[in-house]
Amino acid sequence: MISCTEFIPSYSELFTYLENKFGHDEVKRFWSFLFEPDGKSIPLINFLKEEGIRGCYSYWAGTLNEEAADFTMYLNEKQGWYMETMHRCPSKGRLLQLKEEIGLEPYPYYCHHCDYYRLAAEKAGFKYIYNFNGIDHAACSMMIYDPRIFDGRIIIDEDTIIMDRKAADNEYFHRDFHSSMNNGMEFLGEKHGEADLIAYLTDYTKHVYVPVFKAIEEKGLEAIRDKIVDTYEKEKASEVLQTVLTDKSLTVEISACPAVKHLRETGREVSKWYVYSTTIVMKTLAEHAGATFTMESYDEATGAAKYRFDIA
């Protein structure tokens, strides 16, 4: 499992892989797949159907607070508009931070995927305006409006609801990133096959887990154990994890995967390819430690697993 707190670099790396292997049109096909307004992946359309223009406010109030964004949102139902100013995007901001810390290059058109929210907005009968000015420093803005009501004027008055948040106001923990990771596995596995899925996840591990690779060179299997423990701590699911470390082996048992649990609880279908986000990441780490990786058991229904690392 790749933690939801580490999803953003995996997202960027998937865009990069698709671009390099298949071209930019394939990246756009993936975005169309991911943002398809059918209520199964990105759930914005469900909010819009239930609440109208207020659904924009309800949806992003949840996601942006969970992502610990630095933002201001405005909603005026009477005038038929919603507006959002992103002072510091947590996603692009994390990529810029990783570039500085470990040299990870963000996908150059990373921010453009957000424009695909328009698929849901337009399906619900609204208009969508996205302003990319400022994305080089993780800032942007957008507006969604109801053309049947909005008269072209943005008037902030007593009917306007405003939410203003700083990144420090919230904890970064957005479980629904597991849905996007699951869909990424599904798209790459079904459209391009096992070899490309393995290549992408191998690239991700090598590019993003640079500090782990360095730690492995010093501490061997202990560094892998520490990485796994950290992942489940970040998922607030330490209780599902058990590890046994010896000089020559590391055994890991997961009683239930928190990502699979979230996907099931939110009505998503878990991709048959999802397990690769564990097996390939762990195999790549094992190889760097001079160890073999074995997945001894895996339960698709719960994500419960037992796997081990062995040094000859």
Side-chain angles (χ1 to χ4, degrees):
M1 177 192 68
I2 294 172
S3 173
C4 64
T5 63
E6 295 181 328
F7 168 71
I8 294 305
S10 72
Y11 209 31
S12 179
E13 286 291 292
L14 178 53
F15 301 163
T16 297
Y17 183 85
L18 291 172
E19 175 99 17
N20 291 343
K21 183 73 181 287
F22 305 107
H24 190 59
D25 283 346
E26 189 65 4
V27 181
K28 292 191 288 186
R29 274 191 285 272
F30 172 58
W31 290 342
S32 295
F33 168 81
L34 184 64
F35 284 83
E36 174 67 27
D38 56 7
K40 297 178 181 180
S41 181
I42 306 296
L44 174 61
I45 188 64
N46 299 330
F47 287 81
L48 299 180
K49 286 180 177 179
E50 292 177 9
E51 303 179 39
I53 195 73
R54 176 176 281 270
C56 298
Y57 188 91
S58 298
Y59 172 74
W60 274 294
T63 62
L64 295 183
N65 279 295
E66 289 180 359
E67 293 180 52
D70 188 340
F71 68 94
T72 307
M73 297 194 313
Y74 307 84
L75 171 69
N76 194 308
E77 288 184 273
K78 188 174 181 180
Q79 297 175 24
W81 58 267
Y82 165 84
M83 188 166 61
E84 177 186 303
T85 299
M86 187 72 73
H87 309 298
R88 178 74 174 178
C89 170
S91 296
K92 184 61 176 290
R94 282 177 180 265
L95 292 175
L96 294 176
Q97 182 180 359
L98 287 170
K99 180 178 182 179
E100 184 175 319
E101 292 176 351
I102 63 173
L104 182 72
E105 284 294 333
Y107 178 62
Y109 308 109
Y110 178 83
C111 296
H112 291 201
H113 78 272
C114 285
D115 188 51
Y116 281 68
Y117 280 114
R118 76 169 56 252
L119 297 178
E122 292 176 351
K123 184 175 182 178
F126 303 132
K127 298 295 184 180
Y128 185 107
I129 300 171
Y130 199 110
N131 176 15
F132 287 117
N133 186 41
I135 59 175
D136 59 327
H137 55 273
C140 66
S141 62
M142 60 97 143
M143 180 179 180
I144 296 175
Y145 64 92
D146 186 340
R148 296 163 295 185
I149 301 174
F150 183 59
D151 65 3
R153 298 177 297 165
I154 299 174
I155 301 174
I156 299 175
D157 58 16
E158 66 277 4
D159 294 317
T160 307
I161 301 172
I162 302 174
M163 179 182 291
D164 187 68
R165 293 287 188 274
K166 302 297 182 186
D169 294 337
N170 292 297
E171 177 189 13
Y172 180 82
F173 190 56
H174 182 51
R175 281 192 174 96
D176 217 43
F177 277 151
H178 288 308
S179 174
S180 295
M181 187 75 207
N182 182 58
N183 278 281
M185 299 296 94
E186 179 70 11
F187 181 87
L188 196 51
E190 291 300 311
K191 300 291 185 183
H192 300 292
E194 182 182 54
D196 279 300
L197 185 57
I198 291 173
Y200 151 64
L201 287 167
T202 301
D203 284 351
Y204 160 77
T205 308
K206 290 180 177 180
H207 296 166
V208 177
Y209 291 168
V210 172
V212 182
F213 278 87
K214 290 181 179 178
I216 288 172
E217 293 167 7
E218 297 178 5
K219 301 193 298 180
L221 294 178
E222 182 182 354
I224 298 178
R225 190 275 310 273
D226 292 347
K227 171 58 184 170
I228 295 169
V229 169
D230 180 66
T231 294
Y232 284 84
E233 286 178 349
K234 288 177 177 176
E235 285 289 323
K236 304 182 188 297
S238 296
E239 72 281 358
V240 306
L241 172 69
Q242 290 186 354
T243 65
V244 178
L245 176 67
T246 70
D247 290 342
K248 295 291 185 178
S249 69
L250 169 62
T251 301
V252 179
E253 289 192 57
I254 312 296
S255 61
C257 174
V260 171
K261 179 182 178 182
H262 175 77
L263 293 169
R264 299 286 187 202
E265 289 179 345
T266 54
R268 274 65 173 259
E269 182 176 346
V270 181
S271 172
K272 70 178 184 180
W273 303 99
Y274 188 75
V275 66
Y276 281 65
S277 64
T278 294
T279 57
I280 302 307
V281 170
M282 295 304 158
K283 182 181 178 182
T284 305
L285 294 178
E287 289 173 351
H288 195 71
T292 58
F293 170 78
T294 305
M295 177 65 82
E296 295 186 339
S297 64
Y298 180 76
D299 181 10
E300 292 187 358
T302 65
K306 182 177 181 180
Y307 53 88
R308 60 184 297 117
F309 306 79
D310 295 283
I311 298 176

